[in-house]
Amino acid sequence: QVQLVESGGGSVQAGGSLRLSCVASTYRDCMGWFRQAPGKEPEGVAAIYGFDRINYADSVKDRFTISRDNSKNTIYLQMNSLKPEDTALYYCAAENRYPCYSGDAPKYTARGQGTQVTVSS
């Protein structure tokens, strides 16, 4: 079972930026991020298959960028122009699967412990 460890969460003001990182203990083709705010269903945010097959939730498109460094088994989520509604616990998720859709990230077989992102207005 792959182990995933996230880092990089924190508190920022609206309009600010954060970068999340997720280190995997072993390689998985499909990796992504999902988030869950209190009282809400998990929401897939972004997913990456291989190096460059990427998709995003509409709510974060043009603001968030997912990338990966396979030499480090690490993925990143660069979050710009953050909004209060982006406040949530952000999870890294991974699975060897195809297709690799961001919307399915909450269902991937492996997930990390989560890192909190709080955006104040």
Side-chain angles (χ1 to χ4, degrees):
Q1 176 74 348
V2 61
Q3 305 297 317
L4 303 171
V5 179
E6 304 101 333
S7 61
S11 296
V12 295
Q13 291 192 322
S17 298
L18 284 172
R19 189 174 87 148
L20 307 183
S21 300
C22 171
V23 181
S25 59
T26 190
Y27 179 82
R28 289 292 184 265
D29 289 338
C30 176
M31 295 188 70
W33 296 91
F34 70 94
R35 64 188 181 186
Q36 187 165 21
K40 294 190 176 181
E41 292 294 314
E43 177 191 19
V45 172
I48 183 166
Y49 181 86
F51 269 114
D52 58 2
R53 297 186 187 182
I54 292 171
N55 58 93
Y56 299 99
D58 288 343
S59 58
V60 306
K61 207 170 289 185
D62 299 327
R63 298 189 299 123
F64 290 10
T65 302
I66 189 171
S67 61
R68 72 190 298 168
D69 183 341
N70 286 338
S71 69
K72 299 178 181 178
N73 283 340
T74 299
I75 64 167
Y76 305 95
L77 187 68
Q78 177 66 42
M79 306 184 294
N80 298 329
S81 302
L82 283 161
K83 304 175 182 180
E85 50 264 45
D86 294 318
T87 295
L89 192 59
Y90 282 71
Y91 295 89
C92 175
E95 186 175 339
N96 281 332
R97 63 150 58 194
Y98 188 81
C100 177
Y101 293 136
S102 59
D104 293 330
K107 304 175 194 174
Y108 297 175
T109 53
R111 64 173 59 180
Q113 294 298 308
T115 185
Q116 179 67 38
V117 171
T118 302
V119 185
S120 58
S121 58

